[in-house]
Amino acid sequence: EFNITRPKGYTVSYHANPEMEKHHFGQTHPMKPWRLTLTKSLVSAYGMPFAMDNYNTRAATYEELNSFHASDYLDYLASAPAEDMPRDIDNPDKEVKFNLGGSDCPLFHGLYDYCSMSAGGSLDAARKICNKQSDIAIAWGGGLHHAKRSEASGFCYINDIVVAVLQLLRCFPRVLYIDIDVHHGDGVEEAFFSTDRVMTVSFHKYAPEVFFPGTGGLDDNGPKSEHNPGAHHAINVPLNDGITDEQYEHLFQTIIGKINEVFRPSAIALQCGADSLAGDRLGRFNLQVQGHAACVEFCKKLNIPMIMFGGGGYTPRNVARAWAFETSIAIDAHKKIDPIIPQHTPWRERFIHDTLFPTLEQILGEPRANRNTQKRLQEIVQHVHEQLRFVTH
Ligand code: TV1
Ligand code: CA
Ligand code: ZN
């Protein structure tokens, strides 16, 4: 497993900070920064760091976060006292400022450090892409797509993606944002609602009222006003429970292939939320590592500078499998990687099954019923094609 060499003709950088992984959202909270430790452990066990430039990321500065977030919000985030007894989902909040301190976004110890490190990694990744020092930059500690200018939302406090894309926009005319987290990438969509320099595309489970955040319907495509340049530049792919690798890959390749032709992005920001995998604690899909990773491989083959962000992912062993395998795709080592998890991998027993690619039966026992009809998926493709007719350069 150590015959992994640097990819030919291009550079991959890996941006991480082990300090980030030490933070805790609270005992029962689904977001476990420790999944980053497990990911790194697998990436290292396979010898992948030898094939990349590895950076220990710094914390983003206040001014950098201020490129998107409001000052009063940042000030409160930096000064709000940690709560010793984080609220559980069962005893929801009374009064919260900026949506901070509720059950989803608790005020835990070291919160500001955690957020600024997450954004620092994503921003470093964007700078490496801008400087042409990397062709693919990986920031698994980022991808926190729900945070708003003045509001925390859905486990996200600082929108590192928006901060990184703003940096990319200094060097590239057009950025394509793609989001395969099981949740709608609402914060990123909203931030770039009024510009035609960023197209946002989110694939997600959509069931308003029942599934967070409830936005991202097929008809939500950006400002309805024709005079707004952002019109038609938000693409949403609303899905139902149980979608399979085969359906998802086909949908992804058809839609992203078409978008690439008409929008012609000069950089890609890919949010790789791993809660779209089968067996995720919060997710509802039947995707396997192979199907999730096929999206990454498809994007890589477009040969456009790219940042790969993390995001959701609430069953750490599956998150680590996906992000480690996707790292191997970035460095073009995925065809020679041994599917058996190396014997010397720290926490190897946490993976339960010793393969990178457990079967659906191994993951779930009984697979979740697939509620996505071919007819509906065809309608989605049709609608997206119609939206893209309005997009020209
Ligand atoms: C504390 C303890 C918090 C246990 C939150 C699941 C918990 C959830 C918890 C939870 C949970 C959500 C809502 C309800 C809106 C609220 C990183 C009306 C077992 C990118 C964020 C999901 C997803 C938020 C983030 C969602 C990401 N689901 N147990 N909370 N209120 N919040 O539904 O996209 O992956 O679930
Ligand atoms: Ca998504
Ligand atoms: Zn998610």
Side-chain angles (χ1 to χ4, degrees):
E1 59 241 31
F2 286 109
N3 58 355
I4 289 185
T5 53
R6 295 182 73 90
K8 301 257 181 304
Y10 69 99
T11 305
V12 178
S13 57
Y14 191 94
H15 305 263
N17 188 334
E19 285 302 305
M20 220 189 130
E21 301 151 23
K22 295 175 186 159
H23 292 83
H24 300 278
F25 281 61
Q27 272 298 308
T28 56
H29 198 287
M31 179 57 99
K32 308 279 181 212
W34 182 79
R35 69 211 174 113
L36 298 168
T37 310
L38 200 60
T39 302
K40 187 64 201 286
S41 133
L42 200 50
V43 165
S44 300
Y46 275 109
M48 294 187 226
F50 295 114
M52 309 186 278
D53 290 342
N54 304 284
Y55 297 98
N56 199 351
T57 57
R58 64 192 174 86
T61 65
Y62 181 95
E63 288 69 31
E64 288 168 336
L65 302 180
N66 205 202
S67 68
F68 174 55
H69 291 284
S71 302
D72 57 347
Y73 174 62
L74 292 175
D75 293 341
Y76 188 73
L77 190 64
S79 65
E83 294 180 309
D84 279 318
M85 243 272 284
R87 281 170 252 233
D88 197 81
I89 198 156
D90 301 322
N91 61 72
D93 37 67
K94 289 135 205 87
E95 243 191 307
V96 290
K97 268 187 180 164
F98 305 110
N99 197 29
L100 288 166
S103 57
D104 276 354
C105 303
L107 289 163
F108 56 83
H109 290 280
L111 173 61
Y112 190 83
D113 292 336
Y114 166 85
C115 295
S116 49
M117 277 188 266
S118 159
S122 300
L123 197 47
D124 279 355
R127 293 231 169 86
K128 287 286 158 197
I129 296 290
C130 273
N131 300 341
K132 317 273 183 219
Q133 289 176 313
S134 310
D135 300 283
I136 301 178
I138 299 174
W140 295 134
L144 306 178
H145 58 178
H146 298 305
K148 310 286 155 59
R149 185 174 121 87
S150 297
E151 195 185 290
S153 172
F155 318 164
C156 305
Y157 304 81
I158 291 291
N159 203 315
D160 62 286
I161 302 168
V162 172
V163 171
V165 170
L166 287 171
Q167 171 66 38
L168 291 178
L169 287 173
R170 295 179 178 193
C171 332
F172 297 101
R174 288 180 304 283
V175 176
L176 173 60
Y177 173 68
I178 306 171
D179 185 317
I180 60 172
D181 190 288
V182 77
H183 298 98
H184 177 223
D186 57 348
V188 184
E189 179 184 279
E190 186 186 295
F192 298 110
F193 211 56
S194 316
T195 177
D196 55 3
R197 293 185 59 201
V198 179
M199 178 171 279
T200 63
V201 192
S202 176
F203 297 76
H204 46 265
K205 159 144 179 94
Y206 181 66
E209 320 290 316
V210 195
F211 196 73
F212 187 86
T215 48
L218 188 58
D219 293 324
D220 301 334
N221 299 109
K224 295 296 175 204
S225 152
E226 287 167 29
H227 308 289
N228 193 317
H232 313 294
H233 283 69
I235 301 291
N236 283 299
V237 183
L239 302 168
N240 291 321
D241 287 2
I243 194 166
T244 62
D245 276 3
E246 196 189 0
Q247 288 179 319
Y248 198 92
E249 281 178 51
H250 179 258
L251 203 55
F252 186 90
Q253 299 185 3
T254 309
I255 290 174
I256 300 302
K258 185 73 184 167
I259 288 176
N260 182 49
E261 280 174 29
V262 300
F263 183 64
R264 291 188 292 108
S266 30
I268 294 177
L270 175 60
Q271 196 267 22
C272 303
D275 48 5
S276 42
L277 293 170
D280 187 82
R281 184 172 159 200
L282 299 190
R284 311 289 181 90
F285 292 167
N286 280 341
L287 296 190
Q288 295 182 257
V289 168
Q290 296 93 315
H292 197 267
C295 300
V296 174
E297 191 177 5
F298 184 82
C299 290
K300 186 189 171 240
K301 284 183 173 159
L302 298 175
N303 251 309
I304 296 168
M306 174 163 77
I307 305 180
M308 290 159 55
F309 302 95
Y314 305 102
T315 303
R317 59 183 180 276
N318 295 342
V319 177
R321 281 186 172 96
W323 291 351
F325 187 60
E326 289 162 9
T327 303
S328 82
I329 290 175
I331 59 177
D332 208 25
H334 56 299
K335 296 225 168 78
K336 54 183 174 184
I337 208 164
D338 184 346
I340 302 298
I341 293 172
Q343 292 300 327
H344 61 273
T345 307
W347 298 291
R348 189 175 191 266
E349 68 289 352
R350 303 278 182 122
F351 290 94
I352 306 186
H353 301 286
D354 68 358
T355 167
L356 272 185
F357 310 110
T359 62
L360 274 184
E361 289 64 35
Q362 284 175 317
I363 303 166
L364 292 169
E366 193 67 29
R368 189 180 286 275
N370 182 4
R371 304 282 180 216
N372 299 273
T373 61
Q374 288 305 117
K375 180 167 171 285
R376 177 61 180 158
L377 299 184
Q378 263 319 309
E379 281 169 19
I380 292 173
V381 168
Q382 181 65 29
H383 175 92
V384 171
H385 280 180
E386 281 162 19
Q387 280 309 304
L388 294 174
R389 289 217 309 267
F390 297 101
V391 175
T392 47
H393 284 291

